[in-house]
Amino acid sequence: MAKRTTNRPQKRLTFIDIIKGNFLNRDEIKIHYKFFLLLFVLMMAMIYSNHLVNKKIKIVNALKEETEEYKSRNAYAQSKLIKVKMESQLGKEVAADSLMTLESHPHKLLIKLDSSDAKTK
């Protein structure tokens, strides 16, 4: 005996049915379950690849910050090196002119003007 197909009218699909998950029991879904399973697998693959991309972006941003720090350290070291080279070159030129470095630092002289001196001038 062959199975009789009955044409019973389908109930309209409502938003509440979608939220509750009742749409999964409909005959159309049961017929095309392979297609819906494929859609589910593709969506999961897309979510996972997006997760991996976000991880890579975080790693790249961390590496960019580290690179900027190393660039600034390099610039600072180069400026120090140039300063040391200039000081050594200056020391050689001073020695060639037979000049000596000071043993004691010079004193600073402060001159105070009285208000009476300023009026007479």
Side-chain angles (χ1 to χ4, degrees):
M1 250 204 235
K3 189 175 186 183
R4 269 169 79 190
T5 59
T6 59
N7 290 338
R8 56 184 171 156
Q10 288 285 328
K11 182 182 161 189
R12 282 186 57 104
L13 188 63
T14 63
F15 183 69
I16 300 296
D17 289 336
I18 293 173
I19 290 176
K20 288 182 178 179
N22 292 340
F23 70 95
L24 295 173
N25 293 332
R26 294 176 68 101
D27 291 335
E28 296 93 25
I29 303 295
K30 290 177 184 175
I31 292 171
H32 303 291
Y33 74 93
K34 290 181 184 177
F35 176 70
F36 290 109
L37 186 63
L38 175 68
L39 286 178
F40 178 75
V41 169
L42 289 176
M43 287 188 335
M44 295 308 276
M46 187 177 75
I47 291 170
Y48 182 69
S49 67
N50 190 16
H51 176 69
L52 290 178
V53 167
N54 286 339
K55 271 186 174 179
K56 298 278 184 186
I57 289 173
K58 286 179 184 177
I59 292 170
V60 166
N61 287 338
L63 289 174
K64 279 183 183 179
E65 289 177 8
E66 194 174 340
T67 303
E68 291 298 322
E69 183 179 343
Y70 285 138
K71 282 182 182 179
S72 64
R73 283 184 185 179
N74 185 28
Y76 179 73
Q78 283 181 349
S79 67
K80 289 281 245 182
L81 180 65
I82 289 172
K83 193 173 185 181
V84 168
K85 283 182 179 180
M86 290 173 74
E87 287 176 358
S88 64
Q89 184 67 24
L90 184 63
K92 288 178 186 176
E93 290 180 13
V94 167
D97 291 339
S98 69
L99 297 174
M100 303 286 285
T101 58
L102 293 175
E103 296 291 327
S104 63
H105 295 289
H107 296 286
K108 189 174 192 179
L109 298 176
L110 297 175
I111 300 174
K112 293 184 180 179
L113 295 175
D114 290 337
S115 61
S116 61
D117 290 341
K119 289 180 183 176
T120 57
K121 290 185 178 178

